[in-house]
Structure formats: C-alpha cells, structure tokens
Amino acid sequence: DTAVSQTPKYLVTQMGNDKSIKCEQNLGHDTMYWYKQDSKKFLKIMFSYNNKELIINETVPNRFSPKSPDKAHLNLHINSLELGDSAVYFCASSLGLRDTQYFGPGTRLTVL
Amino acid sequence: AQTVTQSQPEMSVQEAETVTLSCTYDTSENNYYLFWYKQPPSRQMILVIRQEAYKQQNATENRFSVNFQKAAKSFSLKISDSQLGDTAMYFCAFTPPNYGGSQGNLIFGKGTKLSVKP
C-alpha cells in the first residue's frame, strides 16, 4: 500500500483554468504539507496542516488554497493558473510537527 | 534568515567507492533537526537519514552516515560502497524549532546531483 499518494501524477492544462491535486496518506499522521519544486529542482514549502488547521502559509498567491476534508487528506486547489505555476508539487505527511516527513510521488503540473 | 547550502551542484563516483556530499546551514537556534533526502529519476523523495541537533552521535543507516559538526553548522553525508542505484539528486534539509510560523517547515538546499559510474 502506498503511504502517501497523489492524483494525478501529470496534469497539463491551459492558462486561466482551475485545477485540483489530491493527496491522501494512510500512515495515521497528524500533519500534512504541500511543497513546490521548480524547474531548477528547488523545493519550497507552500502549506502545512496540523489537525486540520493551517499552521504555515508561506507567501504563496491566494490563487492557491489547501483544503483538508479530514486528517488523511490535503488537497491543493489552484485558480486562474499561470505559466509560472508549472512545477512539480509534492504532498508530504508527518506524525507531528518536526517529525520525519514522508513524501508522495509528486504531480507534474504543466500550464500552457 | 535560515538557509541550507549545498556547494556541490554535481558529483560523480565510481561504483564501490566512497563519496561525501557537503551541506552547511545557517541558524541561530540550538534545537533543530537535519535530514538528507534522495530523489532518483523516478522523482520520488526518499528519506536517507535524520539527525537531531541535540545528539552528538552521528546518525548512520547502513551504507549512509553523516558527519555532524554543530559548531561549524556542517552536516555532510558519506555514502560507502556506492551502488548504481544511488544515482540521484541528494537534498540536505533542516527543520527549525517548533514555534512561530516555522513549525514543521523543511528548508531545503539546492541539491547535489550524484552519478555513480560502473
């Protein structure tokens, strides 16, 4: 069983569209995260949720919104997609804050 | 600002040999965690090793070990008996203390691309 899963793995869309990336973890963890990896492979935190509360919100555009229907899921919604949003997005989870984070397989988003 | 620096963008090593990847970080905090993650061409981020700053003993995981020098803020990764499957990007990462807006935030270096040659 995959510990942290993301769907879809690849997403190609047009500028201006709205899209969502889903993330699920079956590890029983309390904290989930979203990271963005740019074309130069640099990884940066976007959001994290601990017990369904947003506890980090780095300066990402408000077009990006995380939604957590329950502790096992943290979905990423992106409105009005722009060319610069093209990247690989990783979901991760950890037992608690500062515990080891386990990553999903990533979603490669391409905005045309 | 808290930063992580990996000064070697690319490295190569012969199969079965040993290689060391460098990492330095900048923080004024005393209690934090350090990690090495591996990202093979499959794109999956895989934890290699973890070190708690309050522990003086260097962490080891099979062929992977670290040299943690807290005063120098250095956290290098040594890979012994390199294997072809070790070919990957290696990221050093740091988690600051658990307060303010930084709870759980992994701060990554820019990565070192390691190629293991047969």
Side-chain angles (χ1 to χ4, degrees), chain B residues 15-60:
Chain B
E15 199 175 4
E17 292 186 348
T18 295
V19 63
T20 299
L21 309 183
S22 301
C23 173
T24 58
Y25 56 93
D26 185 20
T27 182
S28 58
E29 305 300 335
N30 193 46
N31 185 21
Y32 46 86
Y33 293 76
L34 293 158
F35 303 85
W36 278 97
Y37 280 89
K38 164 185 175 180
Q39 187 178 38
S42 66
R43 195 173 75 199
Q44 178 73 51
M45 291 289 290
I46 302 164
L47 176 71
V48 176
I49 204 161
R50 164 190 163 114
Q51 174 81 42
E52 291 88 350
Y54 63 85
K55 289 187 177 178
Q56 291 187 338
Q57 187 173 5
N58 289 325
T60 63

Side-chain angles (χ1 to χ4, degrees), chain A residues 33-86:
Chain A
Y33 311 81
W34 278 105
Y35 289 86
K36 178 180 180 181
Q37 186 174 43
D38 63 23
S39 58
K40 295 183 179 180
K41 302 285 191 182
F42 185 59
L43 279 147
K44 189 171 182 182
I45 184 78
M46 298 180 72
F47 303 104
S48 70
Y49 257 70
N50 179 255
N51 286 326
K52 295 179 66 176
E53 290 185 29
L54 181 66
I55 57 172
I56 299 176
N57 187 348
E58 294 292 314
T59 54
V60 298
N62 57 14
R63 299 181 294 103
F64 290 79
S65 57
K67 299 239 183 331
S68 180
D70 55 58
K71 199 171 74 168
H73 296 84
L74 182 65
N75 303 325
L76 182 65
H77 298 271
I78 316 168
N79 295 325
S80 303
L81 278 155
E82 300 177 357
L83 293 176
D85 298 332
S86 295

Side-chain angles (χ1 to χ4, degrees), chain A residues 29-33 48-51 55 92-97:
Chain A
H29 286 170
D30 285 332
T31 311
M32 296 183 72
Y33 311 81
S48 70
Y49 257 70
N50 179 255
N51 286 326
I55 57 172
S93 74
S94 63
L95 185 61
L97 295 168

